[in-house]
Amino acid sequence: MARAELTRLTGTIGGPDCDDDDCPNVYRTENGSIVVQGVVSDTFVPPSGEVLAEIPEHVLREAVRALGW
């Protein structure tokens, strides 16, 4: 899936100024799934095929607002 196919939910309201591809963000896919971009976390080893991403709380709050939850 290309980034152009995702709806960016964060990065425009109250967050730090950053380029389109170098800061924590939350995206929504066409089928309603959520994709998170963040710093790789080594808190624990996830199952094969999964990764852990750490994002600031304000990014998640912004995504929730954007989704109207």
Side-chain angles (χ1 to χ4, degrees):
M1 175 177 301
R3 184 186 303 241
E5 298 175 74
L6 302 172
T7 300
R8 186 174 176 172
L9 301 174
T10 59
T12 58
I13 302 171
D17 293 332
C18 52
D19 294 332
D20 285 342
D21 61 355
D22 70 349
C23 55
N25 280 295
V26 178
Y27 301 88
R28 188 174 193 180
T29 67
E30 289 180 353
N31 66 6
S33 295
I34 302 296
V35 176
V36 177
Q37 173 186 351
V39 178
V40 175
S41 174
D42 61 0
T43 306
F44 64 89
V45 178
S48 179
E50 297 182 4
V51 298
L52 303 176
E54 184 175 339
I55 61 170
E57 182 179 327
H58 75 85
V59 173
L60 187 55
R61 288 180 183 273
E62 184 178 345
V64 169
R65 278 193 303 274
L67 290 168
W69 294 350

